[in-house]
């Protein structure tokens, strides 16, 4: 077997070379386009094929002399004459022609980009990112441009991208997206507009995210977000040929590296098989059209079929075999041979067939510089035969027919035909019977069958489905019914699964994935059987199936840094506030789902799940604050800045002068699956008013900012809302201002705070925003919590408060609460009160105890300083872990969960430490 680097047909000179004395005549005979250029510029025809390819300096000189558009077109025409001449006269290999055309396109594209960047920077300044660094646009080439395989009249398929959002530093500043969109429009016009000098290159940008409806230029984060959330199979196929071709090439390479997991799946991608089968059928059916018979690209046995064959191997195997991850068809074929995916003879035939068809394509296009792939008739066909060194039109047609027949036969063997379901299969017959009986039921209203499957079929009739969706559903349902029977699903679990099918049947690609990935279907059924909560989430938000299908689900739980990075990607990617909030909500759903599955599968205990949920909330709150900062600064400006944030860091973090403090379970890293967020806003006045077009005094400015944060956290999107939020723990509660200055907060905590507010402060921590305020908040918290307190007096106050909590509920609710893990004697609240008593009474002598905000960590500190005995700590800690795990699992599992955890020991410690009877002895009806 020859090595992958062996010479290929398109790197070998043709067997015929036109003698020097006949070249001018031959070129004129075979190319009206070249003849026209020679007539217009006679000096260009003097040994055109022997001239060296011009370099960037030559292009720059022409642009200086004639202007951008005329210079580009003159340069392109001169170089095209050289390329056509060498191609027709047999002086260049096909590979050399590919390379020359691709290099020409890259040079012209880069020159246009540089000139339009210069013009825009003179008006608006240099585009900069959030870190102040300069930004440059880059271009991703696709199709034959990306593969380095342009033909003589190719258009160029491109996408315009830029690294980061930001704004220009000039007096007439533009946002980066505005700057780069204008640059992209200018580049397209300079290349593609037809002038008296013709055109330079036709430009096609329809392969960008969202096609013609999408932004012309997108940030890296927006590209990544699009392909992660919206990318379709044909876009994976298109990105195989992607390559950075102009501008900031290093940034382009980094983007394509980040997109490789979207294009190339780690394992053989069965999920892409149906899409490839459909593309295969579309290519085949399109080739059969009568108007395609003379089309050597799209017709039967044409260029597209060879390219499709090679790219199928890349798409299906490229995740496992990284050598297949190349935009070059030549390199991909070599790797297919090396990996023995096709034998050497077949690869050799493919190469020769492709060479013949691409040479013929160039001869057709050289005739009049037209973007056509159709073999012409009459005299033009004779001229094409001459250009192909064929003796006659008949020999050309014979060679072409032989080549196309061989390509077609090979193309038909790409996929085995889909086996039809066995007609006798029990579940297929059952499903067909259920579907077929629906009309009888409609005609006989008195006939009613209310078993879950019959109800499902009746509900299905109300859903408008496409023919393809019906076909996919008919393939899916027998597989599902068989598995449901094997698992002996109860009626409630069965109804949940059928509700899911109703939710996704309009997005029938999910049905295909579940059929082609049986293990994923089994995983979905297992989780639906175990968890009402999880089933409800997926039914309401079917996009979460993408997470359930992931084999790593439940095993990889993103850490704090991962979450901050993911939020940052959303902030960079989103085009508009609504899209951004929708993306943040989906991020929350997906990660919460992963945490829940991790707990259900035993990979996370209750404490780890709570910490993971708290880290997720902190990252989202920081992201929402950043978004709110952007909006408020646009309208009202900002204040002088100080130290950077010390909380969850975002690349665009700015110290706006506002800090968000988490209280309660959020501050204690103890969030549950449906927890709300207790937060307080603190600010630091820095000037009399903000510096924007509509300046505001500090308190109004920060109140507006806080209101935007609350709005973004609580607004309902298609993916739900982020959180319910409670701000009543701020100074003076509902009667107080939404935001407090750091000085007013200190004054209140030192002189006006009630005991319950001191308890709340023991569980408070900085979450996001100003690092300066974070440091001040921590100092105030230490100053307040470490003041001297009489333990007996404090215990009496806490006991009375605990009794009041009990009396605030009516008698029926009280009885229910007495059985709950949270409110029962020795339950979670009792244990929290014990920890808070210990922290508040011992912090003066042992300041270390206030560093912990979580109850378990506080208990550990209290045991370390001797306030709790080892035995007391073990009883309280174990009881709290069990109660918390019970609460977390109760949220996930179906039906009411009895709590049989012994809390007597914790109740006795509560009674002993707080100096009075526990709630068991103190229960009394509300007044």
């Amino acid at each position: 077997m020859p090595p992958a680097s062996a010479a290929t047909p398109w790197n070998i000179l043709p067997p015929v070379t036109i003698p020097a004395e006949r070249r001018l005549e031959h070129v004129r005979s075979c190319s009206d386009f070249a003849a026209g250029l020679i007539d217009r510029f006679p000096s260009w025809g003097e040994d055109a094929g022997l001239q060296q390819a011009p370099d960037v300096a030559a292009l720059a000189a022409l642009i200086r002399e004639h202007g951008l558009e005329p210079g580009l077109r003159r340069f392109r025409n001169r170089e095209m004459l050289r390329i056509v001449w060498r191609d027709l006269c047999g002086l260049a290999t096909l590979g050399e022609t590919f390379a020359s055309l691709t290099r020409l396109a890259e040079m012209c594209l880069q020159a246009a980009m540089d000139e339009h960047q210069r013009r825009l920077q003179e008006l608006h300044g240099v585009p900069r990112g959030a870190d102040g660094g300069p930004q440059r646009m880059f271009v991703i080439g696709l199709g034959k441009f990306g593969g380095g395989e342009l033909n003589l009249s190719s258009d160029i398929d491109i996408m315009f991208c830029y690294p980061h959002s930001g704004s220009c530093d000039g007096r007439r500043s533009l946002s980066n997206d505005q700057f780069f969109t204008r640059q992209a429009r200018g580049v397209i016009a300079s290349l593609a507009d037809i002038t008296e000098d013709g055109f330079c290159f036709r430009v096609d940008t329809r392969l960008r995210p969202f096609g013609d409806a999408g932004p012309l230029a997108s940030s890296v984060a927006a590209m990544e977000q699009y392909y992660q959330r919206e990318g379709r199979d044909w876009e994976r196929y298109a990105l195989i040929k992607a390559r950075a071709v102009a501008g900031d090439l290093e940034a382009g390479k980094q983007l394509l590296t980040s997109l490789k997991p979207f294009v190339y799946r780690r394992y053989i991608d069965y999920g892409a098989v149906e899409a490839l089968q459909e593309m295969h059928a579309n290519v085949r059916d399109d080739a059969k059209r009568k108007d395609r018979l003379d089309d050597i690209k799209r017709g039967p046995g044409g260029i597209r079929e060879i390219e499709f064959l090679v790219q199928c191997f890349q798409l299906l195997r490229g995740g496992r075999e990284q050598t297949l991850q190349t935009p070059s068809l030549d390199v991909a074929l070599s790797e297919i041979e090396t990996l023995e995916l096709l034998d050497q003879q077949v690869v050799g035939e493919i190469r020769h067939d492709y060479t013949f068809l691409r040479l013929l394509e160039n001869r057709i296009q050289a005739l009049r510089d037209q973007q056509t792939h159709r073999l012409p008739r009459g005299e033009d066909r004779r001229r094409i035969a001459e250009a192909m060194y064929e003796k006659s039109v008949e020999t050309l047609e014979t060679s072409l027919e032989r080549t196309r027949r061989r390509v077609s036969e090979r193309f038909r063997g790409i996929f085995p035909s889909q086996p039809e379901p066995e007609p006798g299969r029990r579940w297929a017959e059952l499903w067909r019977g259920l579907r077929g009986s629906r009309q009888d039921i409609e005609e006989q209203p008195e006939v009613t069958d209310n078993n879950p499957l019959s109800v499902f079929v009746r509900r299905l009739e109300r859903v408008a489905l496409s023919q393809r969706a019906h076909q996919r559903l008919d393939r899916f349902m027998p597989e599902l019914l068989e598995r449901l029977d094997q698992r002996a699903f109860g009626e409630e679990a069965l109804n949940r699964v059928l509700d899911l099918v109703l939710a996704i049947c309009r997005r029938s690609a999910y049905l295909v994935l579940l059929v082609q990935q049986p293990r994923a279907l089994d995983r979905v059924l297992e989780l639906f059987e175990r968890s009402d909560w999880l089933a409800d989430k997926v039914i309401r938000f079917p996009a979460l199936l993408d997470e359930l299908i992931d084999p790593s689900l439940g095993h990889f739980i993103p850490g704090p840094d991962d979450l901050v990075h993911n939020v940052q990607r959303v902030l960079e990617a989103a085009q508009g506030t609504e899209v951004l909030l929708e993306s943040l909500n989906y991020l929350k759903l997906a990660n919460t789902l992963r945490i829940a599955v991790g707990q259900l599968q035993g990979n996370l205990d209750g404490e780890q799940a709570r910490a993971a949920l708290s880290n997720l909330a902190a990252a989202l709150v920081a992201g929402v604050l950043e978004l709110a900062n952007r909006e408020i600064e646009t309208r009202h400006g900002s204040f002088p800045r100080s130290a950077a944030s010390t909380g969850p860091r975002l690349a665009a973090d700015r110290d706006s002068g506002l800090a968000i403090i988490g209280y309660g379970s959020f501050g204690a890293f103890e969030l549950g699956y449906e927890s709300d967020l207790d937060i307080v806003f603190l600010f630091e006045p820095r000037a009399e008013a903000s510096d924007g077009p509509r300046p505001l005094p500090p308190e109004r400015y920060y109140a507006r900012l806080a209101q935007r944060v609350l709005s973004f956290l609580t607004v309902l999107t298609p993916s739900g809302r982020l959180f319910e939020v409670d701000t009543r723990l701020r100074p003076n509660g509902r009667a107080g201002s939404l935001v407090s200055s750091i000085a007013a907060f200190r004054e209140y905590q030192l002189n006006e705070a009630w005991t319950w507010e001191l308890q709340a402060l023991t569980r408070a921590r900085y979450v996001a925003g100003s690092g300066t305020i974070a440091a001040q908040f921590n100092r105030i918290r230490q100053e307040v919590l470490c003041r001297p307190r009489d333990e007996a007096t404090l215990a009496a106050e806490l006991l009375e408060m605990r009794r009041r909590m009990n009396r605030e509920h009516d008698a029926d609710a009280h009885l229910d609460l007495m059985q709950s893990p949270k409110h029962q004697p020795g339950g979670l609240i009792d244990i929290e009160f014990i920890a808070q008593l210990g922290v508040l009474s011992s912090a003066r002598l042992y300041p270390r105890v206030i560093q912990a905000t979580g109850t378990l960590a506080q208990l550990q500190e209290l045991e370390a300083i001797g306030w709790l005995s080892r035995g007391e700590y073990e009883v309280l800690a174990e009881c709290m872990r069990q109660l918390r795990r019970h609460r977390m699992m109760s949220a996930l599992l179906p039906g009411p969960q009895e709590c049989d955890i012994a809390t007597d020991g914790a109740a006795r410690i509560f009674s002993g430490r707080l100096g009075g009877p526990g709630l068991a002895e103190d229960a009394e009806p509300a007044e």
Side-chain angles (χ1 to χ4, degrees):
M1 181 182 297
S5 60
T8 60
W10 55 83
N11 287 321
I12 300 175
L13 281 171
V16 177
T17 301
I18 304 300
E21 64 273 12
R22 289 192 55 239
R23 288 173 187 166
L24 179 58
E25 176 189 356
H26 181 72
V27 170
R28 281 183 172 277
S29 175
C30 296
S31 174
D32 292 345
F33 166 66
L37 289 175
I38 293 170
D39 290 340
R40 187 177 177 188
F41 305 101
S43 63
W44 288 10
E46 300 171 1
D47 297 323
L50 301 178
Q51 296 172 4
Q52 294 294 319
D55 56 16
V56 173
L59 173 57
L62 283 172
I63 292 174
R64 285 195 301 271
E65 180 181 355
H66 300 284
L68 178 61
E69 285 76 17
L72 286 171
R73 283 150 181 75
R74 185 174 290 254
F75 180 80
R76 182 260 184 187
N77 288 335
R78 178 66 182 268
E79 179 64 1
M80 284 295 293
L81 176 61
R82 186 188 73 85
I83 294 170
V84 169
W85 183 294
R86 290 179 60 79
D87 181 66
L88 291 174
C89 295
L91 300 173
T93 67
L94 179 62
E96 182 184 329
T97 301
F98 285 163
S100 295
L101 290 165
T102 301
R103 177 59 180 154
L104 172 61
E106 291 171 347
M107 292 171 66
C108 292
L109 175 60
Q110 186 63 62
M113 287 184 63
D114 290 344
E115 177 60 19
H116 284 284
Q117 178 177 317
R118 183 190 65 77
R119 294 175 184 178
L120 285 167
Q121 286 185 177
E122 286 179 355
L123 294 172
H124 305 290
V126 177
R128 298 190 180 277
D131 61 356
Q135 304 286 296
R136 289 176 60 213
M137 188 162 70
F138 60 91
V139 179
I140 301 298
L142 300 164
K144 288 183 172 61
F145 190 20
E149 299 150 0
L150 287 178
N151 56 44
L152 286 178
S153 194
S154 283
D155 58 6
I156 54 174
D157 294 295
I158 57 177
M159 298 189 295
F160 293 99
C161 314
Y162 57 93
H164 299 292
S165 299
S167 59
C168 301
D169 60 7
R171 294 182 62 186
R172 297 169 58 189
S173 179
L174 295 175
S175 65
N176 284 359
D177 65 316
Q178 292 174 315
F179 181 97
F180 292 121
T181 297
R182 293 186 185 185
Q183 184 182 0
R185 287 175 181 158
V187 169
I188 293 171
S190 292
L191 294 176
D193 284 357
I194 298 176
T195 71
E196 61 183 9
D197 298 303
F199 67 94
C200 188
F201 280 95
R202 304 175 191 89
V203 178
D204 191 337
T205 61
R206 291 174 296 175
L207 293 178
R208 69 187 187 268
F210 299 109
D212 286 337
L216 188 57
S218 297
S219 69
V220 166
M223 297 285 285
E224 292 176 338
Q225 187 76 8
Y226 171 83
Y227 288 113
Q228 179 182 357
R229 295 287 306 278
E230 307 286 347
R232 291 158 287 182
D233 286 296
W234 70 263
E235 289 173 304
R236 293 178 57 199
Y237 181 82
L239 286 176
I240 290 173
K241 307 290 283 184
R243 179 175 63 91
V245 294
D248 188 344
L249 296 180
E250 187 57 37
K253 291 175 184 177
Q254 291 175 4
L255 170 63
L256 294 179
T257 298
S258 72
L259 294 182
K260 279 188 175 181
F262 166 70
V263 182
Y264 301 105
R265 304 295 161 82
R266 182 177 178 184
Y267 301 101
I268 294 178
D269 186 6
Y270 297 102
V273 170
E274 186 189 58
L276 290 175
Q277 288 170 335
E278 292 176 357
M279 283 189 266
H280 173 282
N282 291 337
V283 171
R284 183 188 59 218
D285 294 343
D286 186 53
K288 292 178 180 177
R289 289 167 45 184
K290 289 183 180 180
D291 61 344
R292 296 286 195 227
L293 296 180
D294 288 329
D295 191 324
I296 66 166
K297 177 180 179 181
R298 300 180 182 85
I303 293 167
R304 188 166 65 170
E305 294 186 358
I306 294 176
E307 293 171 341
F308 185 82
L309 182 151
V310 174
Q311 288 173 258
C312 283
F313 280 106
Q314 291 181 270
L315 194 63
L316 292 173
R317 301 273 183 169
R320 182 174 294 177
E321 307 293 349
Q322 295 188 12
T323 54
L324 289 171
Q325 297 180 10
T326 171
S328 167
L329 186 138
D330 184 17
V331 174
L333 267 176
S334 296
E335 295 304 327
I336 288 170
E337 181 180 337
T338 299
L339 295 167
E340 299 183 347
L341 302 176
L342 292 174
D343 64 38
Q344 182 178 357
Q345 180 181 349
V346 171
V347 172
E349 290 176 352
I350 291 172
R351 288 188 182 282
H352 283 280
D353 294 340
Y354 189 71
T355 302
F356 177 85
L357 292 169
R358 290 302 303 270
L359 282 171
L360 179 57
E361 178 186 48
N362 278 345
R363 303 303 194 267
I364 293 171
Q365 295 184 348
L367 197 60
R368 296 186 179 87
D369 192 24
Q370 293 176 338
Q371 191 181 21
T372 178
H373 310 278
R374 194 178 302 278
L375 186 65
R377 297 186 178 276
E379 175 60 18
D380 283 347
R381 184 169 292 198
R382 185 203 62 76
R383 297 170 70 188
I384 298 298
E386 178 187 351
M388 288 294 291
Y389 319 125
E390 295 284 359
K391 295 179 181 179
S392 65
V393 169
E394 290 73 19
T395 58
L396 170 64
E397 291 173 345
T398 299
S399 297
L400 178 58
E401 175 60 27
R402 182 172 56 247
T403 299
R404 294 177 74 169
R405 183 171 58 249
R406 189 163 53 233
V407 172
S408 288
E409 290 171 354
R410 191 178 301 112
F411 183 68
R412 285 195 296 269
I414 293 177
F415 294 114
S417 31
Q418 282 284 87
E420 292 296 324
E422 300 175 19
R425 286 182 60 193
R426 174 189 173 195
W427 297 109
E429 292 289 347
L430 173 62
W431 176 244
R432 279 196 291 271
L434 285 168
R435 296 297 300 271
S437 66
R438 67 187 185 275
Q439 188 171 354
D440 296 335
I441 294 174
E442 291 172 357
E443 293 174 355
Q444 303 175 50
E446 70 279 3
V447 178
T448 57
D449 187 350
N450 289 322
N451 71 69
L453 275 176
S454 297
V455 172
F456 167 73
V457 171
R458 291 201 295 272
R459 293 173 66 194
L460 187 63
E461 290 306 309
R462 304 189 191 103
V463 181
L465 297 180
S466 66
Q467 182 178 0
R468 172 186 289 184
H470 276 297
Q471 292 169 348
R472 288 174 168 176
L473 185 65
D474 289 341
R475 284 204 303 272
F476 171 72
M477 286 304 298
E479 298 289 339
L480 175 65
L481 294 175
E482 183 174 13
R483 281 172 166 75
L484 291 174
D485 182 64
Q486 292 170 353
R487 301 183 74 91
F489 263 44
E491 186 168 320
E492 286 190 16
L494 176 60
N495 282 328
R496 289 197 296 271
V497 173
L498 296 177
D499 285 344
L500 173 66
V501 178
L502 283 170
I504 67 174
C505 58
R506 286 182 181 172
R507 306 177 187 183
S508 57
Y510 288 124
L511 301 177
V512 176
L513 293 178
L514 293 174
V515 168
Q516 294 178 349
Q517 299 189 47
R519 291 183 180 177
L521 177 56
D522 289 336
R523 189 182 308 118
V524 170
L525 295 179
E526 176 188 354
L527 293 171
F528 266 53
E529 187 176 21
R530 294 191 61 188
S531 174
D532 282 351
W533 180 91
L534 187 146
D536 177 67
K537 291 293 183 187
V538 178
I539 291 166
R540 289 173 58 200
F541 309 108
L544 289 173
L545 272 179
D546 292 337
E547 308 299 325
L548 290 184
I549 290 168
D550 185 352
S552 70
L553 181 69
H555 297 280
F556 172 71
I557 308 299
D561 292 340
D562 299 313
L563 293 167
V564 169
H565 176 76
N566 292 340
V567 170
Q568 174 61 33
R569 287 295 181 191
V570 171
L571 291 175
E572 286 286 330
Q575 304 287 335
T577 301
E578 290 184 9
V579 176
L580 192 152
L581 291 173
E582 163 72 5
S583 299
L584 288 176
N585 273 276
Y586 181 82
L587 181 68
K588 181 203 173 187
L589 281 172
N591 282 282
T592 303
L593 183 79
R594 288 183 170 274
I595 294 166
V597 173
Q599 190 174 7
L600 285 170
Q601 293 178 344
N603 299 316
L604 288 179
D605 62 28
E607 301 310 311
Q608 291 170 323
R610 285 176 175 274
L613 291 169
S614 301
N615 289 329
L616 173 60
L620 290 168
V621 167
V624 164
L625 177 59
E626 172 60 27
L627 174 60
N629 273 331
R630 294 178 187 175
E631 289 204 358
I632 296 299
E633 286 189 4
T634 299
R635 298 175 186 175
H636 305 293
S638 60
F639 295 96
R641 307 187 188 284
S642 57
S645 169
T646 58
R649 289 303 307 273
L650 299 171
D653 256 354
R654 293 169 286 185
D655 188 352
S656 65
L658 184 77
I660 297 178
I661 308 300
Y663 274 72
S665 57
F666 188 23
F669 289 95
E670 296 171 357
L671 287 180
Y673 290 107
E674 302 295 340
S675 292
D676 59 6
L677 302 185
D678 292 297
I679 59 178
V680 167
F681 297 99
L682 301 179
F683 72 93
E684 180 183 28
R686 296 176 179 171
E688 291 184 0
S690 59
D691 60 7
R694 296 163 59 187
L696 291 174
E699 186 163 356
R700 285 184 60 194
Y701 181 96
Y702 290 117
R704 291 267 182 96
L705 179 56
Q707 286 164 356
R708 294 307 289 158
V709 170
L710 294 177
S711 174
F712 292 155
L713 287 174
T714 57
V715 67
L716 188 62
T717 75
S719 294
R721 59 169 49 90
L722 286 172
F723 298 99
E724 297 288 349
V725 179
D726 191 337
T727 62
R728 290 175 296 176
L729 289 175
R730 65 186 186 267
N732 293 310
R734 288 174 175 165
S737 172
L738 180 60
V739 296
S740 298
S741 71
I742 192 70
F745 178 79
R746 177 180 182 274
E747 176 67 20
Y748 181 87
Q749 294 294 332
L750 286 173
N751 300 315
E752 300 180 49
W754 295 75
T755 301
W756 66 266
E757 291 175 297
L758 300 179
Q759 289 177 264
L761 193 61
T762 67
R763 291 159 59 82
R765 65 181 173 97
Y766 163 79
V767 172
S770 168
T772 301
I773 297 178
Q776 294 183 62
F777 167 77
N778 288 333
R779 288 194 294 270
I780 293 169
R781 182 172 178 270
Q782 179 170 349
E783 181 183 6
V784 172
L785 295 182
C786 292
R787 298 177 83 180
R789 293 180 178 88
D790 178 70
E791 182 172 336
T793 303
L794 184 62
E797 291 177 355
L798 295 186
L799 179 62
E800 176 55 30
M801 192 174 308
R802 184 68 185 95
R803 288 172 171 169
R804 189 181 307 128
M805 290 175 66
N806 186 44
R807 291 195 298 267
E808 285 176 353
H809 300 277
D810 60 39
D812 292 337
H814 171 73
L815 293 175
D816 291 336
L817 287 168
M818 291 296 291
Q819 303 303 317
S820 74
K822 183 175 181 180
H823 292 272
Q824 70 184 89
L828 293 173
I829 291 182
D830 280 4
I831 298 174
E832 289 171 3
F833 269 55
I834 294 169
Q836 290 157 13
L837 172 64
V839 168
L840 290 171
S841 62
S842 60
R844 180 173 177 272
L845 295 177
Y846 302 98
R848 59 177 284 184
V849 298
I850 73 166
Q851 300 305 313
T853 58
T855 303
L856 279 175
Q858 289 173 343
L859 294 174
Q860 191 171 14
E861 290 294 331
L862 293 172
E863 189 268 336
I865 66 171
W867 192 85
L868 287 175
S869 70
R870 183 64 183 174
E872 287 175 321
Y873 166 73
E874 289 177 348
V875 168
L876 294 172
E878 182 59 24
C879 183
M880 171 157 269
R881 290 191 188 98
Q882 291 187 38
L883 290 171
R884 281 185 179 170
R885 181 182 182 280
H886 178 273
R887 288 195 78 200
M888 294 286 283
M889 295 302 292
S890 294
L892 299 177
L893 299 178
Q897 305 293 311
E898 291 188 9
C899 181
D900 56 358
I901 300 168
T903 60
D904 295 349
R908 285 193 293 272
I909 296 172
F910 176 90
S911 179
R913 286 289 178 175
L914 272 73
L919 290 183
E921 295 89 358
D922 192 52
E924 59 182 64
E927 297 178 0

